[in-house]
């Protein structure tokens, strides 16, 4: 599995990205809910009733509990039954509100934008996690090979020393020291191997791959690190900046909604109703069945303008709070932009020094290998002691590890440039087969 394949696998399967995409789908669906809420309210109602009809003058608040009764006023309370039939159709439509609908539409679009930016940010951070884990595997694999070579060298030297000790050419102390060095080399190998296996498990979790079947492509073009990097810049298209910018836009859109919420609302009202009753024009009780038809019809059309004066005070207070939220979002955007700019500038300044270190590596490795071979030859000829040979072994291993560490730091610095600019083309080229 190459680095880019690992990233693609994680983006398609990882739960956090899936959750962000579901949230984005929810934001997009909510725009239709907003449009549906603005449709006119059209209600149909019909009821057939039977009961008494005793009226009495007076005013009251019904509170939704008192059943209204329409009937003539009489000297006595009568329990004769009367029937009635009422059919009602009403419609109301808030068709003008001084731009509140437009501001709500902008807020809904801002929610969609921030959802999209959230998906991109989550994908960006997941990409960083996959690259980091992949690089851990790459470096640990190289260190593991170095420790393996060191273990092989120590084992060879240990066999030579033991043979010399058995033949009485070297003292027994050399054998003991060689045994200690061999055990130390094995422990170092086991420690690195443990870290390598843990990194395999992490990458398997990120990519949704069985760790036992996972093997990374170890292609690494180390010489390409010496090539001057392309010039890159921090732009607002960066996923982290896009998210912060979208959040700022969302806060500004909400500020506009708050300002529009207190303005008057103009609605179109219509109603039509029909009614029947078994009471005649003189409020005399007639046959029950006569009340089930319709004998009167009415309609009503009107315009209504509604404004709550107290809403202006409430809107002012909410506007003040929202303005502070807008400033907070703006500050976060500026701070994120500054961090990326500093990351890019720092990376560019460090690369110059690292390039010098890369140029020095071949000389250091050749010298360490030469020193080891010379010390081994001197030891075999009885001129060098075991401590000098052990020092040469350890020096060679340290230089080999240092070479990997310098390459690792250079790659991490290149990764920081890619992170700051969100341009990974140059970085991925180090791990692509030619």
């Amino acid at each position: 599995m190459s680095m880019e394949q690992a990233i693609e696998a994680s983006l398609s399967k990882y739960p956090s990205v899936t959750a962000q995409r579901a949230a984005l789908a929810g934001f997009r669906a909510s725009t239709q809910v907003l449009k549906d809420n603005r449709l006119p309210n059209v209600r149909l109602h019909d009821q057939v009733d039977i009961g008494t009809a005793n009226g009495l003058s007076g005013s009251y608040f019904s509170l939704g509990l008192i059943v209204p009764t329409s009937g003539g006023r009489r000297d006595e309370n009568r329990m004769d039954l009367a029937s009635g039939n009422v059919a009602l159709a009403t419609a109301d439509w808030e068709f003008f509100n001084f731009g509140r609908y437009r501001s709500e539409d902008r807020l809904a679009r801002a929610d969609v934008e921030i959802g999209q930016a959230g998906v991109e940010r989550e994908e960006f951070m997941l990409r960083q996690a996959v690259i980091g884990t992949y690089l851990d595997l790459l470096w640990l694999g190289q260190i593991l090979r170095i420790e393996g070579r060191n273990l092989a060298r120590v084992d060879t030297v240990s066999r030579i020393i033991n043979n010399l000790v058995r033949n009485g050419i070297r003292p027994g102390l050399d054998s003991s020291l060689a045994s200690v060095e061999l055990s130390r080399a094995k422990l170092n190998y086991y420690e690195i191997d443990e870290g390598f296996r843990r990194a395999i498990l992490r990458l398997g979790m990120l990519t949704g791959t069985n760790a036992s079947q996972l093997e990374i492509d170890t292609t690494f073009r180390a010489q390409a690190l010496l090539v001057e990097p392309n010039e890159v810049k921090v732009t607002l298209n960066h996923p982290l900046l896009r998210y912060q910018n979208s959040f700022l836009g969302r806060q500004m859109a909400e500020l506009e909604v708050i300002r529009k919420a207190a303005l008057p609302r103009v609605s179109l009202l219509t109603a039509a109703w029909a009614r029947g009753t078994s009471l005649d024009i003189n409020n005399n009780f007639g046959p029950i069945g006569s009340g089930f038809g319709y004998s009167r019809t009415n309609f009503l059309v009107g315009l209504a303008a509604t404004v709550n004066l107290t809403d202006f005070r409430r809107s002012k207070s909410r506007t003040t709070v929202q303005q502070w939220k807008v400033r907070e979002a703006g500050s976060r955007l500026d701070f994120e932009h500054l961090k990326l700019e500093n990351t890019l500038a720092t990376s560019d300044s460090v690369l110059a020094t690292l390039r010098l270190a890369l140029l020095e590596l071949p000389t250091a490795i050749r010298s360490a290998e030469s020193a080891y071979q010379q010390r081994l030859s001197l030891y075999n000829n009885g001129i060098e002691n075991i401590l000098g040979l052990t020092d040469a072994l350890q020096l060679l291993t340290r230089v080999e590890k240092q070479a990997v560490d310098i390459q690792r730091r250079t790659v991490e610095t290149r990764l920081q440039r890619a992170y700051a600019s969100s341009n990974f083309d140059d970085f991925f080229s180090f791990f692509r087969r030619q």
Side-chain angles (χ1 to χ4, degrees):
M1 180 181 288
S2 68
M3 180 181 291
E4 292 173 90
Q5 287 173 336
I7 292 171
E8 184 179 352
S10 65
L11 293 180
S12 64
K13 299 177 182 179
Y14 203 66
S16 63
V17 175
T18 304
Q20 287 287 342
R21 289 170 180 161
L24 173 59
F27 284 132
R28 286 173 173 163
S30 66
T31 58
Q32 186 60 45
V33 175
L34 191 64
K35 293 177 181 178
D36 293 343
N37 287 341
R38 295 171 186 169
L39 295 174
N41 296 315
V42 180
R43 302 180 180 88
L44 300 177
H45 174 80
D46 185 87
Q47 58 178 276
V48 178
D49 308 298
I50 185 170
T52 58
N54 294 296
L56 194 63
S57 299
S59 300
Y60 57 88
F61 292 101
S62 71
L63 300 178
L65 302 174
I66 301 175
V67 179
T69 298
S70 178
R73 297 189 301 276
R74 298 181 175 84
D75 293 334
E76 74 283 357
N77 188 66
R78 298 181 57 177
M79 300 305 295
D80 300 85
L81 297 180
S83 61
N85 189 1
V86 178
L88 176 67
T90 65
D92 61 272
W93 178 34
E94 184 180 323
F95 68 92
F96 184 72
N97 47 33
F98 297 91
R100 181 169 62 87
Y101 283 164
R102 285 193 300 273
S103 64
E104 288 176 348
D105 288 338
R106 284 193 292 268
L107 180 59
R109 288 195 297 270
D111 283 333
V112 173
E113 289 175 6
I114 199 172
Q116 180 64 49
V119 170
E120 294 175 3
R121 183 183 68 165
E122 190 67 26
E123 290 177 345
F124 181 82
M125 299 308 295
L126 181 60
R127 181 185 294 114
Q128 292 299 115
V130 173
I131 292 175
T133 306
Y134 194 97
L135 290 177
D136 286 344
L137 275 174
L138 185 65
W139 305 132
L140 286 170
Q142 292 192 14
I143 295 295
L144 196 62
R145 286 192 290 274
I146 291 174
E147 291 291 352
R149 291 197 300 268
N150 179 60
L151 181 58
R153 288 192 293 260
V154 172
D155 184 61
T156 300
V157 170
S158 178
R159 293 174 186 273
I160 294 172
I161 291 173
N162 287 330
N163 187 47
L164 294 174
V165 170
R166 281 195 299 269
N167 292 318
I169 300 174
R170 286 290 183 178
L173 178 61
D174 285 9
S175 177
S176 299
L177 292 175
S179 178
V180 170
E181 189 64 23
L182 180 60
S183 295
R184 194 177 69 85
K186 288 181 179 180
L187 291 175
N188 288 340
Y189 183 88
Y190 297 152
E191 181 181 357
I192 300 301
D193 187 53
E194 177 192 353
F196 183 84
R197 294 177 186 276
R198 290 183 182 276
I200 280 283
L201 290 174
R202 289 198 303 272
L203 187 62
M205 181 191 68
L206 289 170
T207 58
T209 306
N210 190 331
S212 62
Q213 302 173 352
L214 181 60
E215 183 178 354
I216 68 168
D217 185 351
T218 57
T219 300
F220 174 49
R221 299 172 54 237
Q223 288 300 318
L225 295 176
L226 295 171
V227 179
E228 287 282 346
N230 295 329
E231 184 178 354
V232 291
K233 295 181 180 180
V234 178
T235 66
L236 284 177
N237 285 328
H238 194 288
L240 300 182
L241 296 183
R242 279 197 62 190
Y243 180 82
Q244 294 294 345
N245 193 45
S246 299
F247 188 74
L248 173 60
R250 198 265 178 205
Q251 296 294 65
M252 295 176 67
E254 186 171 353
L255 177 61
E256 188 66 17
V257 170
I258 292 172
R259 287 172 174 167
K260 297 289 187 181
L263 297 179
R265 306 176 184 186
V266 181
S267 301
L268 173 66
L269 307 176
T270 62
W273 65 98
R275 186 173 183 182
T277 180
S278 62
L279 296 173
D280 64 18
I281 194 171
N282 294 317
N283 278 317
N284 296 317
F285 292 93
I288 294 296
S290 64
F292 295 151
Y294 301 117
S295 58
R296 295 291 186 271
T297 57
N298 294 280
F299 71 91
L300 188 65
V301 179
L303 290 175
T306 305
V307 62
N308 187 340
L309 297 179
T310 313
D311 280 346
F312 288 102
R313 174 65 178 270
R314 298 189 182 106
S315 178
K316 183 179 179 180
S317 299
R318 292 179 61 200
T319 296
T320 302
V321 174
Q322 191 62 26
Q323 285 172 338
W324 286 111
K325 292 182 179 181
V326 170
R327 292 184 184 180
E328 178 190 5
S331 298
R332 290 183 182 276
L333 174 61
D334 293 340
F335 181 61
E336 193 69 50
H337 192 277
L338 179 62
K339 286 198 302 182
L340 294 175
E341 289 280 5
N342 288 340
T343 299
L344 184 58
T346 302
S347 301
D348 287 339
S349 64
V350 170
L351 277 177
T353 304
L354 288 172
R355 193 175 298 110
L356 295 176
L358 288 171
L359 291 172
E360 190 64 27
L361 285 181
T363 302
I365 293 175
R366 282 197 305 269
S367 299
E369 288 178 344
S370 177
Y372 165 68
Q373 293 297 336
Q374 292 176 26
R375 288 287 181 91
L376 180 60
S377 177
L378 291 173
Y379 182 84
N380 288 333
N381 291 307
I383 302 174
E384 182 64 85
N385 58 34
I386 183 63
L387 296 179
L389 179 58
T390 302
D391 287 342
L393 268 172
Q394 293 176 355
L395 176 62
L396 176 56
T397 302
R398 283 200 305 271
V399 170
E400 289 178 334
K401 287 184 178 180
Q402 188 176 23
V404 174
D405 184 63
I406 291 173
Q407 291 176 349
R408 177 187 61 80
R409 298 201 320 262
T410 306
V411 170
E412 286 181 352
T413 305
R414 290 293 190 107
L415 178 58
Q416 287 176 351
R417 294 184 85 253
Y419 174 89
S421 62
S422 188
N423 186 342
F424 288 85
D425 288 340
D426 284 349
F427 179 78
F428 288 147
S429 66
F430 300 137
F431 309 96
R432 289 172 180 160
R433 297 180 183 272
Q434 293 298 316

